[in-house]
Amino acid sequence: MRLLDPFGLSAHPAVPPISLPPGQTVVVPGRGELFYRDSGGTGPVLLLLHGWMATSDLNWITTYGPLQAAGYRVLALDHRGHGRGLRAPQPFRLEDCAGDAAALLEALDVRDAVVVGYSMGGPIASLAAYRHPERIAGVVLGATALHWKGLGMSVLWSGMAGLRLLLGLAPDLLWRAMVRAGGAPADSTGSWIAGELSRGSSSHLAEAGRELSRYDARPWISDLPVAAAVIVTTRDAAVPPEKQRALAAALGAREFDIDADHMAATHPSGVFPRALLEAVAHVRSTSRSTRAVAA
């Protein structure tokens, strides 16, 4: 067994460290079967959209509880090719993911949702609000940017073919190695994290990286027809803070700074959920004020 798993995870059952909101599926005609978490309840709806290579549970595991405790109904969607997300024959496209998010809100008859997008989830949330504002009251965008251009990003995206090859050849072994290298314990939680990561489709994950390299919201983001806020992770090496602030400036949105890196949403400190609750309250208040003036 050790020869097959030198990282010490295979001996432990893959058990999430906390109780998760119930998982559901819904079949959307013309799209397929969507997997999502739904805390239930009658509170205001938040739709959480996770980042690249993650799953909803990995991205939002420290966030579910505080949002539910604050009275929100929490929905979290696994994107195409990620986690339990649908496996479409078409190449991964951010526009399709945005359409999936809007389709989920429609299938659940939800209006006035605040959509929260983290990292890659930011472009998806922005596109969903831009294309389908009738179901979305506002967006909170965290650790994300207007675009991913630049030399450092170009080097990353150029490695997508190699990433796809590695994930296709030995996904479980690769994810276990990355999980242990990232400091996760060799226990049930570490095994669960590796298992969640290995759910993704290698081709979709690689194409999602290329899609991010093509994304550029500068021509249209200032016309976003809903309220917005931006959570800036000030020690972020993956999405530099200046790129995050440029997004806020283009939106004319309030910034909520947190002293954290790109993994802020997974930190057990609670700094991200606290900032998110503040940002959501701000967006909901701004949305109500805007609608009152319009009326």
Side-chain angles (χ1 to χ4, degrees):
M1 180 64 69
R2 289 189 177 185
L3 291 176
L4 296 176
D5 179 17
F7 309 104
L9 295 176
S10 62
H12 302 279
V15 179
I18 66 168
S19 178
L20 303 170
Q24 312 275 354
T25 60
V26 60
V27 176
V28 178
R31 290 188 176 275
E33 185 178 67
L34 305 179
F35 174 86
Y36 64 100
R37 297 282 180 189
D38 186 352
S39 68
T42 59
V45 174
L46 303 181
L47 173 58
L48 310 182
L49 302 178
H50 64 78
W52 181 39
M53 293 197 182
T55 66
S56 289
D57 294 342
L58 287 175
N59 205 137
W60 306 113
I61 192 165
T62 69
T63 309
Y64 289 142
L67 296 183
Q68 291 176 247
Y72 291 103
R73 178 186 177 186
V74 179
L75 305 175
L77 174 67
D78 275 7
H79 301 309
R80 295 172 174 236
H82 292 68
R84 298 171 178 85
L86 68 84
R87 299 299 193 261
Q90 304 87 357
F92 180 97
R93 294 292 181 264
L94 294 169
E95 287 269 11
D96 289 335
C97 293
D100 295 340
L104 176 63
L105 294 176
E106 182 176 5
L108 300 179
D109 195 25
V110 170
R111 293 186 181 275
D112 296 332
V114 173
V115 181
V116 181
Y118 197 87
S119 191
M120 184 185 76
I124 295 171
S126 299
L127 286 165
Y130 187 66
R131 303 294 189 197
H132 309 278
E134 68 278 1
R135 300 225 168 240
I136 297 172
V139 295
V140 176
L141 310 175
T144 192
L146 279 167
H147 62 86
W148 271 266
K149 311 294 182 183
L151 179 59
M153 293 294 96
S154 297
V155 172
L156 174 62
W157 308 135
S158 67
M160 288 303 99
L163 173 67
R164 177 179 176 177
L165 177 62
L166 287 172
L167 289 175
L169 289 174
D172 291 339
L173 190 63
L174 178 62
W175 285 124
R176 286 172 182 171
M178 292 176 68
V179 165
R180 291 295 288 132
D187 59 11
S188 293
T189 295
S191 184
W192 174 76
I193 293 171
E196 283 292 291
L197 289 167
S198 67
R199 291 182 187 275
S201 158
S202 61
S203 60
H204 280 79
L205 293 179
E207 186 59 28
R210 284 189 284 264
E211 258 291 88
L212 282 175
S213 74
R214 295 187 286 260
Y215 177 75
D216 189 345
R218 287 174 291 187
W220 54 267
I221 198 71
S222 62
D223 296 324
L224 201 70
V226 301
V230 174
I231 298 177
V232 178
T233 43
T234 61
R235 292 190 286 107
D236 199 322
V239 183
E242 58 268 23
K243 283 188 173 287
Q244 301 179 52
R245 297 192 193 283
L247 171 62
L251 284 165
R254 180 176 168 185
E255 297 177 15
F256 293 81
D257 286 13
I258 56 174
D259 181 22
D261 59 21
H262 196 66
M263 302 301 290
T266 66
H267 289 176
S269 67
V271 63
F272 179 78
R274 288 193 294 271
L276 178 55
L277 284 168
E278 290 183 38
V280 168
H282 170 73
V283 164
R284 294 186 69 235
S285 175
T286 302
S287 177
R288 285 195 299 267
S289 298
T290 301
R291 293 183 183 190
V293 170

